[in-house]
Amino acid sequence: MSYKAKFRIWRGEGGEGRLEDFTVEVNEGEVVLDIIHRLQATQAPDLAVRWNCKAGKCGSCSMEINGKPKLGCMTRMSTFGEDEVITVTPMRTFPVIKDLVTDVSFNYQKAREIPSFTPPSDVRPGEYRMKQIDVERSQEFRKCIECFMCNNVCHVIRDHDENKQAFAGPRFLMQIAELDMHPYDVADRQDSAQDEHGLGYCNITKCCTEVCPEHIKITDNALIPMKERVVDRRYDPLVWLGNKIFKR
Ligand code: SF4
Ligand code: F3S
Ligand code: FES
């Protein structure tokens, strides 16, 4: 069964743009990305959209559908009414290159600022021995497909461009937490999370967790434990005294 859907899609580049209306055919089982491809094939050949796998695994097709961050390839048309106007806009937190394609280089810049896994110098690959519980903890975070919808929705940078310098966003604060929980990582993650990557800006609104397509519990399992680790180090009098003596 097919029907005609009404789409309102943001078109523009170079900081200028507008919403354009389209009426387009929808067939059973299709997702929003299918409809955007049909528009490219029939009515708007220059409509720009980023995608790659069409299987919810590459993280490329992030967009805002009716104001909510979603993967275009995983959003079924059957979740909308046939009379509903479906509005598709680019992610708001990142600059638009063209139409639905945003410049997400902010995220890659933040990724580069985080030192990679740092094992002790006397332990070689192949000699790591980890408890299963430590493996499982980091496996949840490793499901991330880098769609950047969590960073897109976090209010710390969504409405405050000026915070981007100081705040790595939930995706990369989660990565810091994962490394801090790794039993073989010896880099100092706690002070740098707070002082260089803006952990203190997060006030646990959990919007990041709500939009994660991999259902990673970013706030409960990464950000809150990381905050607790920082507090333990900074405000536990014994740890504080130990740090003072050790640093002499
Ligand atoms: Fe996307 Fe989830 Fe990874 Fe954030 S943590 S980038 S929402 S997959
Ligand atoms: Fe932002 Fe997530 Fe914290 S949305 S404020 S990073 S809980
Ligand atoms: Fe890869 Fe949508 S196209 S996640």
Side-chain angles (χ1 to χ4, degrees):
M1 277 267 293
S2 67
Y3 67 96
K4 301 271 186 199
K6 292 188 184 60
F7 267 67
R8 185 163 287 169
I9 299 190
W10 200 91
R11 308 290 312 272
E13 59 188 309
E16 309 267 311
R18 74 225 160 268
L19 289 166
E20 258 181 39
D21 289 326
F22 298 94
T23 302
V24 56
E25 182 188 324
V26 176
N27 299 309
E28 201 169 340
E30 287 185 328
V31 294
V32 168
L33 188 60
D34 289 317
I35 308 310
I36 292 171
H37 286 162
R38 181 161 300 121
L39 279 172
Q40 286 178 322
T42 57
Q43 302 179 46
D46 61 338
L47 171 58
V49 64
R50 186 188 282 126
W51 70 285
N52 199 329
C53 69
K54 206 167 172 281
K57 286 296 160 207
C58 74
S60 305
C61 66
S62 308
M63 54 186 73
E64 299 195 6
I65 301 175
N66 289 346
K68 294 194 177 133
K70 300 261 187 200
L71 295 177
C73 73
M74 298 303 283
T75 306
R76 292 194 169 278
M77 286 302 298
S78 57
T79 57
F80 306 104
E82 292 190 7
D83 296 332
E84 200 175 332
V85 178
I86 299 164
T87 303
V88 186
T89 49
M91 287 196 285
R92 195 171 96 194
T93 300
F94 311 117
V96 172
I97 297 174
K98 184 172 176 348
D99 302 337
L100 301 176
V101 177
T102 49
D103 176 359
V104 291
S105 53
F106 161 81
N107 302 288
Y108 300 118
Q109 182 190 325
K110 293 295 164 186
R112 280 194 292 273
E113 288 170 11
I114 298 166
S116 55
F117 173 59
T118 313
S121 53
D122 58 343
V123 181
R124 290 198 301 271
E127 294 175 350
Y128 304 158
R129 297 287 178 271
M130 286 172 68
K131 289 186 180 160
Q132 188 59 28
I133 192 169
D134 289 325
V135 174
E136 281 161 12
R137 192 181 288 133
S138 69
Q139 264 173 353
E140 179 188 11
F141 307 137
R142 292 286 175 121
K143 288 193 302 181
C144 175
I145 58 170
E146 299 214 318
C147 65
F148 303 126
M149 293 200 294
C150 55
N151 280 8
N152 172 55
V153 82
C154 177
H155 69 100
V156 175
I157 46 176
R158 188 172 172 90
D159 296 315
H160 300 280
D161 217 44
E162 70 279 10
N163 287 342
K164 282 186 177 168
Q165 186 75 17
F167 186 65
R171 194 276 168 260
F172 296 107
L173 290 170
M174 177 179 86
Q175 185 172 333
I176 294 169
E178 181 199 332
L179 289 163
D180 198 52
M181 291 174 192
H182 196 297
Y184 277 99
D185 187 82
V186 294
D188 170 31
R189 307 285 173 186
Q190 294 166 14
D191 284 343
S192 70
Q194 192 72 6
D195 300 336
E196 291 161 33
H197 304 295
L199 181 63
Y201 283 74
C202 165
N203 56 352
I204 318 181
T205 57
K206 297 199 181 188
C207 308
C208 51
T209 301
E210 277 173 29
V211 300
C212 178
E214 287 293 318
H215 308 292
I216 303 170
K217 292 194 169 65
I218 307 168
T219 320
D220 286 350
N221 291 351
L223 304 183
I224 293 174
M226 195 63 200
K227 280 173 174 283
E228 286 169 351
R229 283 162 176 248
V230 170
V231 168
D232 282 352
R233 168 182 284 195
R234 295 204 168 183
Y235 304 111
D236 182 319
L238 286 176
V239 176
W240 180 83
L241 190 62
N243 281 341
K244 283 273 175 206
I245 294 167
F246 187 68
K247 281 181 182 166
R248 268 188 198 153

